[in-house]
Amino acid sequence: MLDPGEYVRTLYEELVRDMNVSGAEVLREAIRELHKRETRRKAREAAKNAANTHQELPQAG
């Protein structure tokens, strides 16, 4: 998965030590955080697209 000496592996090992949890728990937490971030990004994008669609519609009358 992560090669010895790889920079990200160093970060991973540091998190395992600092958080005093298993490597699997570090990965679970990372996945949860990435999922939350992506969900917020999608919501912002959808809101922006909805606002742009509303502005582009011709006004009746």
Side-chain angles (χ1 to χ4, degrees):
M1 189 163 128
L2 298 172
D3 294 326
E6 187 177 347
Y7 176 68
V8 175
R9 177 154 182 166
T10 304
L11 299 176
Y12 167 79
E13 291 172 351
E14 182 180 316
L15 286 168
V16 169
R17 275 192 315 275
D18 291 351
M19 295 173 68
N20 197 32
V21 297
S22 69
E25 187 57 31
V26 167
L27 295 176
R28 285 184 196 100
E29 180 69 19
I31 290 167
R32 284 191 294 267
E33 290 300 317
L34 282 170
H35 185 267
K36 282 194 289 189
R37 186 172 77 185
E38 182 63 10
T39 300
R40 286 190 302 261
R41 186 196 65 77
K42 286 179 183 178
R44 283 191 309 270
E45 187 174 299
K48 181 180 175 183
N49 289 339
N52 289 340
T53 301
H54 178 69
Q55 291 173 357
E56 294 172 6
L57 294 176
Q59 298 296 322

